[in-house]
Amino acid sequence: MAALMALAPVVFALLAASALFSAAETAMTGASRARMHQLDRDGDRAARRVNRLLGDREMMIGAVLLGNNIFNILATELASSVFAKVIPGALGVATATAVMTVLILVFAEILPKTIAILRSDDIARLLSAPTLVVVKLFGPIIFGVQYVVRRTLTLFGVHLGMEMDVLAAHEEIRGAVEYHHAEGLVESHDRWMLGGVLDLAEMDVSEVMVHRNAIATIDADQTPRQILAEALATGHSRVPLYRDEPENIVGVLHNKDLLAALHEADGRIEAIDMDAIVREPWFIPETTSLKDQLSAFLKRRIHFALVVDEYGALQGLVTLEDILEEIVGEIEDEHDVAPSGVKTAADGSVVVDGSVTIRDLNRALNWDLPDDEAVTVAGLLIHEARRIPDAGQTFSFHRHRFGVLERKVNRITKLQIWPADPREDG
């Protein structure tokens, strides 16, 4: 009994050391990388140590687990030797195992990890210095363990480099935004804005461009007075000019250039040389990502580009405003006409123009219709129906009911959508 009392403080000291390792492991893996980087930039030395440790997370976790197991095993062996003297035979070993299992589980695992989860950032900074020492001490051993693990996995066809990015930062940020939105900490509009920034690299200009059928163009062979009248009628600051056929774009007319030329001509419209003020069109492939195009707009200081397919045929146009609207939503000024593509009916349904994009509809109504296979609402209906529906037909999918109100030739021009029973998801 005296031996048991004498070793009790040693065993509890080992358990306390094991608890620190457990807390360090949980706190380091749960610490906010964003906050640590900001504190590091502000001169916080503890945060700088945390960032160093997280820079090689596998090495850090391996060293902490090694230290944790060493103290747990040492405490268990000491307790077993004492219990074996007090209670001879297998009963002593069983008693020591039961007691140490409870002590390790409660005081060396659950309790410290629970505290570390609640205060991850603070505990990570507090334990950063001793953890860094442990990593340096056990580093060579852990490196050898990593090598053995990788060689073993190679036998089963799993090949890992010495450095592996487990979770892309892109998806980690998106997951954090969705989580905080679900918790009510991020508003829907902010969620869409942050998601829009992340989506720029995954979306092509073809998904946000103005289709060629909706582009306002002007015949370049008309008189300057006619061109001026049509340019003002479009309501746009930049208008493409064509010759022979609307898809043969030969230049882009900027209203500011036209106004400056009108001033130089002392108001004599017919004296303006249109060819001199028309700017060369900028053609881009339809597969260009929004992220790349945004960078190109900023670099070239041009806010207007024409989109062509692989054969050089005109598909549409995209502006800087179109890309920014994917982030902040619809941008309107005093010259914009209020959009009429989405109207709420008295029965709770929504009447939607077929040309309305799925992303705009989701933003307007806080829905979550998929936009992977189609850009517009009409396109989504055609994709799900696997044909072009007739007016009056109704379909249910994605927890909504879609009714075709108008169809012109092979285009669905107007739909009515009802939020349906979630169990009716087709």
Side-chain angles (χ1 to χ4, degrees):
M1 196 57 152
L4 182 61
M5 296 300 295
L7 282 177
V10 178
V11 172
F12 283 113
L14 293 174
L15 291 177
S18 175
L20 291 177
F21 279 104
S22 296
E25 175 197 356
T26 302
M28 292 293 175
T29 55
S32 169
R33 295 293 296 269
R35 186 178 179 217
M36 291 301 110
H37 279 292
Q38 184 59 45
L39 290 174
D40 186 1
R41 293 180 61 182
D42 293 340
D44 190 304
R45 298 179 63 182
R48 183 169 304 171
R49 289 193 295 266
V50 173
N51 288 332
R52 284 184 59 189
L53 292 167
L54 294 178
D56 191 349
R57 185 175 299 190
E58 188 176 359
M59 177 72 74
M60 181 270 295
I61 292 177
V64 170
L65 288 177
L66 178 59
N68 192 18
N69 281 300
I70 288 176
F71 284 107
N72 285 341
I73 293 172
L74 183 57
T76 302
E77 288 297 323
L78 289 176
S80 298
S81 64
V82 174
F83 274 99
K85 294 179 181 179
V86 177
I87 307 175
L91 182 59
V93 176
T95 302
T97 301
V99 171
M100 291 306 300
T101 297
V102 173
L103 292 177
I104 291 175
L105 183 63
V106 174
F107 297 104
E109 294 292 336
I110 297 178
L111 180 61
K113 288 186 176 182
T114 301
I115 297 174
I117 290 174
L118 296 175
R119 302 292 297 274
S120 297
D121 292 349
D122 295 335
I123 293 179
R125 292 169 59 243
L126 178 66
L127 299 180
S128 61
T131 303
L132 192 59
V133 173
V134 171
V135 170
K136 291 182 178 180
L137 181 63
F138 293 151
I141 301 176
I142 299 303
F143 187 84
V145 172
Q146 289 176 339
Y147 178 79
V148 173
V149 169
R150 283 170 170 75
R151 295 292 294 180
T152 303
L153 290 175
T154 302
L155 300 178
F156 298 93
V158 180
H159 301 277
L160 300 177
M162 291 307 289
E163 295 182 358
M164 182 179 61
D165 185 12
V166 179
L167 181 64
H170 181 100
E171 295 304 323
E172 187 173 355
I173 295 172
R174 188 188 301 277
V177 172
E178 294 296 331
Y179 169 76
H180 288 299
H181 171 70
E183 293 293 314
L185 302 177
V186 174
E187 296 181 359
S188 295
H189 183 261
D190 295 335
R191 171 202 179 198
W192 284 112
M193 286 182 59
L194 294 170
V197 173
L198 298 175
D199 289 338
L200 291 184
E202 302 175 4
M203 297 179 63
D204 297 337
V205 293
S206 61
E207 298 181 55
V208 303
M209 70 180 183
V210 177
H211 194 269
R212 63 174 180 267
N213 293 335
I215 298 177
T217 57
I218 299 176
D219 187 351
D221 292 329
Q222 296 184 104
T223 65
R225 185 177 296 277
Q226 291 173 319
I227 291 177
L228 173 61
E230 290 192 20
L232 293 176
T234 64
H236 302 301
S237 59
R238 301 170 181 84
V239 186
L241 301 184
Y242 71 90
R243 278 196 172 93
D244 300 329
E245 57 183 25
E247 294 187 6
N248 182 32
I249 305 299
V250 295
V252 176
L253 176 64
H254 198 302
N255 283 351
K256 288 184 178 180
D257 296 332
L258 183 58
L259 184 62
L262 185 62
H263 173 72
E264 292 179 3
D266 293 327
R268 294 178 291 112
I269 300 176
E270 301 303 334
I272 299 176
D273 183 2
M274 284 294 176
D275 291 335
I277 64 174
V278 171
R279 303 194 180 200
E280 183 179 354
W282 178 19
F283 296 98
I284 62 172
E286 61 183 349
T287 55
T288 306
S289 72
L290 294 187
K291 180 182 178 182
D292 292 340
Q293 188 56 39
L294 178 60
S295 300
F297 275 144
L298 299 177
K299 183 178 180 179
R300 296 185 58 161
R301 299 172 64 184
I302 299 176
H303 299 173
F304 185 100
L306 295 162
V307 183
V308 296
D309 62 13
E310 59 183 318
Y311 301 105
L314 179 68
Q315 298 299 308
L317 67 83
V318 64
T319 67
L320 177 63
E321 182 176 322
D322 292 329
I323 299 179
L324 294 179
E325 286 181 342
E326 288 303 307
I327 302 174
V328 301
E330 191 69 23
I331 300 175
E332 300 177 12
D333 60 27
E334 61 274 17
H335 298 291
D336 286 334
V337 178
S340 57
V342 180
K343 295 181 180 179
T344 303
D347 61 353
S349 64
V350 180
V351 178
V352 183
D353 289 348
S355 59
V356 172
T357 66
I358 300 171
R359 288 174 63 84
D360 289 342
L361 184 63
N362 284 340
R363 286 189 174 187
L365 302 176
N366 199 26
W367 287 356
D368 194 24
L369 294 174
D371 58 359
D372 299 331
E373 302 294 339
V375 176
T376 65
V377 180
L380 175 63
L381 178 58
I382 293 173
H383 171 75
E384 295 294 340
R386 295 292 188 267
R387 57 191 175 87
I388 302 177
D390 295 322
Q393 289 188 299
T394 303
F395 302 85
S396 292
F397 48 83
H398 302 303
R399 297 186 305 209
H400 293 78
R401 188 155 53 94
F402 294 73
V404 180
L405 297 181
E406 294 179 5
R407 170 181 168 176
K408 294 181 179 178
V409 192
N410 60 347
R411 292 172 52 237
I412 297 175
T413 57
K414 194 173 293 292
L415 305 93
Q416 189 168 10
I417 307 176
W418 297 265
D421 190 319
R423 294 172 296 180
E424 297 180 9
D425 189 1

